[in-house]
Amino acid sequence: MFSWDTWKEIFETIQKNKLRTFLSGFTVALGILIFISLFGLGNGLINTFDKFFQEDATNVIYMFPGKTTIPYKGYKSARRIEFDNSDLEDIKENFPMFLEYVTPRITRNKLVKFKEESDSYNTTGVDWGHQFAEKTIMMKGRYLNVEDVANKSKYAVIGRLVEKDLFGGMNSLGKYIDIGDSMFKVIGVYQDDGGDREERGIYMPYTTLQLIEKNTDKINQIVTAFKPELGYVGAIAYENGLKKFFKDKKFISPDDQNGFFIRNVADQLNQNQQFARVLQLIVAFVAFGTIIAGIIGISNIMVYVVKERTKELGIRKALGATPKNVIGTILLESVFITTISGFLGMVIGIAILGSLGERLAEDYFILNPYIDTGVAVFATLLLILFGAIAGYIPAQRAARIKPIVALRGD
């Protein structure tokens, strides 16, 4: 079956039936190409979800004050809830087994000046832990520390683009900037993977900002991180504990969903990972369907091939060819065409994913679509295997053809 004569006969058959060979190969190549493209796009979507959550820490819970909608314990509805410094201390005292750090956020838009240069920037009062919540990357100097907050120091950590806007090419470290008519010393310059908007911000100790604002103790938001080793179960337990504690403390009805809001990044990440897994299963199902379509296409073409070659196969059997020889020749031809076409489709599919990667990320937010080489090769081999099985049925039918019957046909 693997003799040179057999191969010579296969190549002659391919040469004589170019259209049929092309259609067979095209069906296989297209099936693999579609499979690789769909699977790669599915991986690209998963990468997009992962990147979205990688910009900030994933063990963080954000708390926002709201307005009550249900009367409770003598308090009317439509009562605006406020957070203050005591809430930070309560979290530290009541949740030490969960807590990694807690930091407030007090955000203001202020006019910032340096010599003749000026512009408005988001200025946020924070504690030292905010650096880890936002994954702030220090380019120069340092971030705020515990002493800065305790001493209510007039220190500022500015974004890369703030330094570029106000200082040009000058080093800003140690210089003083005017923030809302108060002078602050620049102790650090940061960058942020979140983009330009994130790098046009200024951080200062929240205690300093409260002091400037008539020594208030009010805060806008609370950001608290749980210990990463607690995992998803610990994150949900911490969230539920915070909800109960603050509803009791602020006299909010347990049924009131608007008194204050919690955004648990770990919970969102888990939900998106589940969605990504379901999406990947759907994509895999559709992609596998293309392989099935390719197998059916091969089977249909092989049925046509056997029918077309009925007289030829009859003559060969009349000259002494055994059923095994007939099956072997047809299968070898099928596997040869399927193998060449399958790997060609695989290479083209991988090349297309690579060439479209940047464009997809820019236009459709599909980041770095890819497929593991092992998965691509396995899918191709799977198609070849099932293609051979699909070709075996008509080949076996051809082996049972009686020479007298075959020679009598048209």
Side-chain angles (χ1 to χ4, degrees), residues 197-354:
R197 182 177 177 274
E198 298 292 337
E199 294 181 339
R200 278 198 165 88
I202 298 175
Y203 296 123
M204 64 175 64
Y206 76 94
T207 51
T208 306
L209 186 55
Q210 287 177 332
L211 180 64
I212 293 173
E213 295 183 343
K214 300 180 180 179
N215 206 25
T216 180
D217 67 344
K218 304 303 180 185
I219 56 182
N220 299 141
Q221 302 172 21
I222 296 176
V223 182
T224 177
F226 58 89
K227 297 173 183 177
E229 59 268 22
L230 297 177
Y232 175 70
V233 175
I236 298 302
Y238 188 30
E239 176 186 349
N240 291 335
L242 288 171
K243 283 181 180 178
K244 185 178 186 309
F245 178 84
F246 276 93
K247 284 192 174 184
D248 288 343
K249 179 180 179 181
K250 305 292 183 179
F251 301 103
I252 302 171
S253 169
D255 300 323
D256 194 339
Q257 302 301 316
N258 297 304
F260 76 102
F261 304 94
I262 284 187
R263 181 168 72 89
N264 189 337
V265 176
D267 188 34
Q268 288 183 310
L269 177 60
N270 182 68
Q271 291 177 9
N272 278 276
Q273 286 176 336
Q274 290 179 346
F275 175 75
R277 284 192 288 268
V278 171
L279 181 64
Q280 188 72 312
L281 287 174
I282 293 173
V283 170
F285 178 78
V286 174
F288 185 72
T290 64
I291 292 182
I292 297 297
I295 293 170
I296 294 173
I298 295 171
S299 179
N300 290 336
I301 289 174
M302 290 309 299
V303 170
Y304 171 76
V305 168
V306 170
K307 184 177 180 181
E308 185 185 55
R309 298 173 63 185
T310 298
K311 185 175 291 188
E312 173 195 336
L313 296 174
I315 294 173
R316 290 185 60 192
K317 292 194 71 174
L319 293 175
T322 64
K324 184 178 180 181
N325 296 139
V326 174
I327 293 174
T329 302
I330 294 176
L331 277 184
L332 190 58
E333 178 184 344
S334 174
V335 170
F336 174 73
I337 295 173
T338 306
T339 301
I340 297 298
S341 303
F343 280 99
L344 180 63
M346 182 189 75
V347 171
I348 293 174
I350 293 175
I352 289 175
L353 282 180

Side-chain angles (χ1 to χ4, degrees), residues 95-114:
F95 300 94
M97 70 292 292
F98 295 101
L99 186 65
E100 185 173 52
Y101 58 82
V102 60
T103 174
R105 268 184 178 174
I106 308 173
T107 303
R108 302 286 186 266
N109 189 273
K110 291 182 177 290
L111 181 65
V112 183
K113 304 175 185 177
F114 177 74

